[in-house]
C-alpha cells in the first residue's frame, strides 16, 4: 500500500517531491499495489507529463481517493508533518486502551473514500 | 520550538554539541558522504562540515538528492526539504549502485548493540525465536557497511547495553572507522575498537565503567577538543531549533 499525490482511476500515478523507496516497492509487490491518492485526475492530466508518471496502472489492484491520507505524516507539497497530532498518536498508542481511545477520537472524515478499479 | 530548546538540560546541549562537532570533524573535504533515515546528528554534522572545513564534500541524501540547500533542519532526515535547492536528484537505487561500485567514501550508520570487532546489531535482542526486543532492522546497512570506504557509528547513549562483548546478532559489519558517543570517540584498530579520545568533562574510568568490552588503557588519555566558539556559532545558525538534540532521551 502506498500513498501518492496524483493518480488516474486506473492507477497510473505520480509521486511528487522525493520518491524514496515507493517506486521500487510497486515493482516488488507480488500480489499488486493498493494506491491511496490525494486526488484522482483525468488520464489526460497525467499524459501531459508522462515523465513524472512513474507507476503504471497495470501494477495497481485498487485506487482509493484519500485526501489527507498521509496525515499526520507529510505529503509534499500539500502538507507537512502534523507534530501535535503525531505527539498525540505516540502518547496514546503506548497502551492498548490508548490505541482504542485514539481510534475512537480520530477524525475519520476521509471514511467516505471512493474505491475504483 | 525555541522554548523547548531553552528548557533542555545542560548535559544534553553539551553532549549534543560535542557529538555534532566530533562527527563533523571526521569528514574530509572532497569526500562523498551519506547519511540515512533517522539520523539527525549526522545530518547536522554534515551541513556543519560543508559550512566549515569540508565545503567540497558531496552530500548524498537518503531523501534522494545531492547537495541540497534546505531552508531548515527537518525532524525527519528523509524529509522532502532535504531535496530543496539540490544540485541533482539521486534516488535510492542510484545510491545503492554507487555503494556497490565503491563510489561512496563515508557513511553514518546507527546500531542498537555494537561489539569490539565492529559488528552492529539492529535486528533483535535475546533469543531469535522469542526475542526480548524486536529491533527495526538495518535498512541498507548490511550492504552499505562492507562497501563504503569508511563507516562512522554514533549513538546518544554510552552504556553496557550498547557496547557489548558480543552482539546477539550481527546485522551489519565491515569498514568501521570510528564510533562517537556522548562521552568518547572510538577508533577501529587491528585489535578492535579502542579509545581515541575522551570528551571534556569525562574520564577514561567513565568510559571503562560504561563499556561492555575490554579496552586498552592508554598511558596518556587524549581529550576530544571541545566545540570551538566558531563551530557553536555555525551550529546555532544551522540548527536554531535544536534538531541535533532530538535523539537524546530526556
Amino acid at each position: 500500500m502506498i500513498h501518492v499525490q496524483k493518480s488516474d482511476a486506473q492507477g497510473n500515478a505520480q509521486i511528487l517531491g522525493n520518491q524514496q523507496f515507493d517506486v521500487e516497492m510497486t515493482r516488488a509487490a507480488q500480489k499488486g499495489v493498493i494506491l491511496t491518492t490525494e486526488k484522482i485526475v483525468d488520464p489526460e492530466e497525467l499524459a501531459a507529463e508522462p515523465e513524472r508518471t512513474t507507476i503504471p496502472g497495470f501494477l495497481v489492484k485498487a485506487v482509493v481517493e484519500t485526501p489527507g491520507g498521509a496525515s499526520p505524516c507529510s505529503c509534499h507539497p500539500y502538507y507537512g508533518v502534523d507534530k501535535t497530532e503525531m505527539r498525540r498518536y505516540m502518547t496514546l498508542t503506548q497502551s492498548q486502551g490508548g490505541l482504542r481511545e485514539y481510534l475512537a477520537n480520530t477524525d475519520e472524515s476521509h471514511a467516505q473514500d471512493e474505491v475504483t478499479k | 520550538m525555541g522554548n523547548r530548546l531553552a528548557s533542555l538540560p545542560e548535559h544534553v546541549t553539551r553532549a549534543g554539541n560535542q557529538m555534532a562537532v566530533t562527527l563533523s570533524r571526521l569528514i574530509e573535504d572532497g569526500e562523498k558522504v551519506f547519511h540515512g533515515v533517522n539520523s539527525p546528528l549526522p545530518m547536522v554534522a554534515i551541513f556543519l562540515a560543508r559550512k566549515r572545513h569540508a565545503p567540497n564534500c558531496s552530500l548524498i541524501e537518503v531523501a534522494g538528492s545531492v547537495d541540497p540547500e534546505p531552508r531548515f533542519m527537518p525532524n525527519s532526515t528523509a524529509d522532502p526539504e532535504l531535496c530543496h535547492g539540490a544540485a541533482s536528484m539521486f534516488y535510492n537505487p542510484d545510491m545503492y549502485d554507487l555503494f556497490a561500485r565503491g563510489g561512496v567514501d563515508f557513511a553514518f550508520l546507527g546500531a542498537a548493540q555494537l561489539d569490539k570487532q565492529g559488528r552492529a546489531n539492529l535486528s533483535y535482542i535475546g533469543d531469535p525465536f522469542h526475542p526480548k526486543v524486536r529491533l527495526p532492522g538495518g535498512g541498507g546497512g548490511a550492504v552499505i557497511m562492507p562497501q563504503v570506504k569508511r563507516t562512522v557509528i554514533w549513538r546518544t547513549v554510552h552504556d553496557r547495553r550498547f557496547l557489548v562483548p558480543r552482539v546477539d546478532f550481527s546485522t551489519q559489519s565491515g569498514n568501521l572507522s570510528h564510533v562517537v558517543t556522548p562521552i568518547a570517540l572510538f577508533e577501529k584498530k587491528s585489535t578492535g575498537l579502542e579509545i581515541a579520545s575522551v570528551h571534556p568533562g569525562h574520564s577514561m574510568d567513565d568510559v571503562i565503567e560504561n563499556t561492555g568490552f575490554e579496552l586498552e588503557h592508554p598511558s596518556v588519555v587524549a581529550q576530544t577538543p571541545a566545540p570551538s566558539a566558531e563551530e557553536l556559532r555555525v551550529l546555532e545558525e544551522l540548527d536554531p531549533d535544536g534538531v541535533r538534540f532530538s535523539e537524546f532521551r530526556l
Side-chain angles (χ1 to χ4, degrees), chain A residues 17-21 24 76 83, chain B residues 62-63 75 78 80 83 91-93:
Chain A
N18 50 340
Q19 311 273 314
Q20 297 293 356
F21 299 99
E24 283 65 54
H76 184 80
K83 289 182 190 167
Chain B
V62 76
N75 281 20
C83 299
Y91 295 123
N92 289 285

Side-chain angles (χ1 to χ4, degrees), chain A residues 6-8 11-16 19 23 27 35 41-57:
Chain A
K6 213 190 257 191
S7 96
D8 66 19
N12 297 297
Q14 297 185 346
I15 298 176
L16 310 181
Q19 311 273 314
V23 173
R27 275 59 166 165
L35 277 190
V41 299
D42 290 334
E44 293 73 34
E45 187 175 330
L46 300 183
E49 40 181 22
E51 70 280 4
R52 297 178 85 166
T53 311
T54 49
I55 299 168

Side-chain angles (χ1 to χ4, degrees), chain B residues 106-150:
Chain B
F106 191 115
F108 289 105
L109 294 174
Q113 278 184 331
L114 183 69
D115 63 25
K116 189 175 174 82
Q117 285 67 42
R119 292 177 293 219
N121 179 13
L122 281 152
S123 298
Y124 63 84
I125 304 290
D127 182 301
F129 299 104
H130 304 280
K132 189 177 162 204
V133 186
R134 190 79 181 84
L135 299 167
V143 174
I144 293 170
M145 212 169 152
Q147 294 185 326
V148 70
K149 294 197 183 86
R150 296 197 291 147

Side-chain angles (χ1 to χ4, degrees), chain A residues 85 88 92 97-109:
Chain A
E85 184 61 16
R88 189 173 83 88
L92 281 174
L99 175 61
R100 277 193 290 275
E101 186 190 332
Y102 175 82
L103 292 172
N105 295 310
T106 297
D107 177 18
E108 291 187 27
S109 58

Side-chain angles (χ1 to χ4, degrees), chain B residues 29-50:
Chain B
D29 200 16
E31 286 190 310
K32 290 194 280 299
V33 182
F34 166 83
H35 79 70
V37 298
N38 196 18
S39 307
L41 266 166
M43 171 183 70
V44 172
I46 296 169
F47 284 104
L48 174 65
R50 280 169 60 77

